[in-house]
Amino acid sequence: MSRRYDWLVVGAGFTGAVVAERLARGLDQRVLVIDRRDHVGGNAHDRRDEGGRLIHPYGPHVFHTNSARIFDYLSRFTAWRPYEHRVRGWIDGRLVPLPFNLTSLRLLFPETTAARLSERMVQAFSRDARPNIHDLRAAADDPDLRRIADYVFEKVFAPYSARQWGVPVGELDASVLARVPVVVGEDDRYFTDRCQAMPRDGYSALFVRLLDHPNIHVSLNTAMTEVEPTTWDRMVYCGPLDDYFGRSAGALPYRSVRFAHCAVDVREGLPVGTVNHPQAPDFTRVTDFRHLTGEAGPTTALVTEYPLAHEPGVTEPHYPVLSETSGRLADDYRAMARTLAGKVWFAGRLADFRYYNMDQAVGRALSLVDKALAPAVAGMAA
Ligand code: FAD
Ligand code: UDP
């Protein structure tokens, strides 16, 4: 049987779509992109709800990057709407800025105590520094710093993280909590990247443009096992790393989330994009999409996130759970993956088992094509 495709790309999220675009447009390859879901975009997919409001079914996706290369690349497929994400947290009955900053301190402590603690923070880290919670705890060599470090850890990080990840917070890789700093100043932006923006027409429109090429064929509602192996030469796999190997070395821990969507009168919307609830019993955060999308109207769409255990085949694997144990198991699978080099490449948040943001998934795809796939294509052509 003649092969119809040079490449099979499993997964139509950012990683798979960018790989497919580069292979097709950049290297003139014929590509079949499949996804077992009924849409492109992976977890970044967006759509309109029954009231016509743009929502992100898999939770809020805010684009931010320091990479001009990645931003310029995506700008070929979308215009942008500038957007700086702001988050508040309900802590002890008050709505305070997150990342936790000096304003949060003022809102939660008596005035004179807050002034003393703020001064101590500035002395220890310098004004506008952004230490992470581990740095803060490590530097807590006097009672004031220890008090702030313990407070922020106990009120902001420990309960939220335990619920989000379903493992004791001490077992998590340090990089997870380090994503969200403590701010020794008043900056209340959630991200400080140079480029912070939302695709003007939404993520799905961006994906449609990425994949719009005569060399690309997209097949939705299609799992890898349903594709006849004789129809393609080489594969880029963006699904869960352990799935590929039938979980033969054991299940890698992924975490899932139930997203509860609703619409409310705009007067009941949130003051900022997201409100985190570290002290809530079973959910982590609520997002009000009108801030992210810039859409106006009498109603607005909210989503509440309820973390839950991932069951392969039942729930979606939204996050890799990073710990020493999962890192070792992932390394075992990575060694198995390397034995397939030249035929199958693994890439993306699920297949690399890495906590990538969208820009990192794009960067991973671009460098995979440059460093591995383009040389493979050149070898094939030779
Ligand atoms: P995915 O988007 O997971 O795509 C993988 C695709 O592969 C899926 O569509 C899946 O259905 C498909 N697939 C898997 N196995 C198979 C198979 N066997 N056969 C066929 N198809 C298969 N990033 C940011 O930068 N900013 C944010 O604000 C942000 N917020 C987030 C909020 C939440 C709740 C979550 C879960 C993630 C968030 N992210 C955010 C991260 C972002 O979603 C990822 O970085 C990005 O989607 C990774 O793209 P990917 O292509 O690697 O993986
Ligand atoms: N985190 C927390 N409390 C917060 C915000 C974040 O404990 O109010 C921790 C938690 O472990 C979370 C991690 O920091 O999973 C990363 O937060 P981020 O907002 O980057 O999570 P994501 O948007 O990827 O879900």
Side-chain angles (χ1 to χ4, degrees):
M1 182 178 172
S2 69
R3 295 183 196 279
R4 292 174 49 211
Y5 300 103
D6 301 306
W7 295 86
L8 170 66
V9 174
V10 178
F14 262 110
T15 310
V18 170
V19 164
E21 190 280 334
R22 284 294 75 214
L23 284 172
R25 197 170 276 118
L27 297 166
D28 195 30
Q29 297 287 287
R30 292 162 302 166
V31 188
L32 172 62
V33 180
I34 62 161
D35 203 298
R36 57 185 171 199
R37 300 194 221 181
D38 64 0
H39 57 74
V40 296
N43 285 330
H45 168 70
D46 58 10
R47 65 170 171 80
R48 298 211 167 263
D49 69 6
E50 66 292 342
R53 296 162 291 250
L54 188 61
I55 62 163
H56 302 172
Y58 307 106
H61 277 70
V62 176
F63 188 82
H64 55 102
T65 189
N66 279 318
S67 164
R69 177 183 181 229
I70 291 167
F71 192 73
D72 291 348
Y73 169 76
L74 289 177
S75 301
R76 296 186 212 164
F77 309 99
T78 187
W80 300 94
R81 188 180 76 84
Y83 172 67
E84 287 184 334
H85 195 49
R86 285 186 166 73
V87 175
R88 298 284 181 264
W90 271 116
I91 294 167
D92 292 347
R94 302 223 168 171
L95 203 53
V96 307
L98 290 181
F100 195 95
N101 66 11
L102 297 186
T103 311
S104 318
L105 203 59
R106 267 200 302 280
L107 289 167
L108 288 162
F109 285 83
E111 200 177 327
T112 46
T113 314
R116 195 182 73 245
L117 296 179
S118 295
E119 205 182 305
R120 196 60 204 92
M121 291 274 280
V122 173
Q123 278 166 2
F125 292 100
S126 84
R127 193 155 185 90
D128 296 324
R130 301 174 77 88
N132 65 47
I133 184 64
H134 311 300
D135 300 333
L136 183 58
R137 295 181 92 198
D141 54 2
D142 75 18
D144 279 343
L145 277 184
R146 159 85 32 220
R147 183 170 173 191
I148 309 167
D150 287 348
Y151 183 90
V152 176
F153 183 73
E154 294 302 336
K155 301 280 183 180
V156 178
F157 285 97
Y160 184 111
S161 299
R163 202 171 323 121
Q164 170 70 16
W165 300 104
V167 295
V169 62
E171 284 176 25
L172 284 172
D173 191 274
S175 62
V176 175
L177 270 56
R179 286 168 59 93
V180 180
V182 175
V183 178
V184 189
E186 275 82 27
D187 188 348
D188 69 342
R189 294 170 304 158
Y190 205 63
F191 307 113
T192 50
D193 303 55
R194 279 196 297 278
C195 308
Q196 302 185 40
M198 299 294 288
R200 195 196 56 198
D201 308 321
Y203 289 100
S204 292
L206 184 165
F207 277 92
V208 167
R209 289 188 209 113
L210 259 173
L211 294 166
D212 180 20
H213 190 277
N215 281 355
I216 298 178
H217 180 78
V218 178
S219 180
L220 299 175
N221 300 304
T222 307
M224 185 179 67
T225 47
E226 296 171 64
V227 181
E228 178 57 55
T230 54
T231 56
W232 51 272
D233 277 326
R234 302 184 186 204
M235 180 197 295
V236 176
Y237 175 79
C238 308
L241 179 56
D242 57 347
D243 262 18
Y244 187 92
F245 300 100
R247 288 181 281 284
S248 56
L252 274 172
Y254 292 93
R255 189 78 171 150
S256 194
V257 180
R258 179 170 72 83
F259 300 100
H261 292 267
C262 70
V264 296
D265 188 288
V266 79
R267 285 167 299 196
E268 292 159 39
L270 305 179
V272 290
T274 296
V275 173
N276 286 6
H277 292 257
Q279 294 164 325
D282 54 359
F283 62 100
T284 48
R285 60 186 177 188
V286 183
T287 294
D288 182 339
F289 283 112
R290 81 197 145 111
H291 296 284
L292 281 65
T293 61
E295 291 186 339
T299 58
T300 187
L302 307 183
V303 63
T304 305
E305 297 176 50
Y306 295 84
L308 54 112
H310 171 55
E311 284 180 66
V314 179
T315 58
E316 287 293 337
H318 292 113
Y319 292 86
V321 182
L322 303 183
S323 69
E324 210 178 314
T325 324
S326 70
R328 271 198 300 271
L329 184 54
D331 281 343
D332 291 345
Y333 280 115
R334 288 180 191 124
M336 291 159 81
R338 276 195 295 277
T339 66
L340 303 172
K343 181 75 178 171
V344 184
W345 285 263
F346 293 73
R349 177 151 148 144
L350 303 174
D352 286 331
F353 199 71
R354 306 235 189 256
Y355 195 168
Y356 292 146
N357 293 326
M358 290 180 281
D359 64 325
Q360 294 169 308
V362 173
R364 169 73 171 119
L366 292 176
S367 71
L368 177 74
V369 174
D370 284 353
K371 291 188 184 139
L373 307 191
V377 169
M380 266 192 284

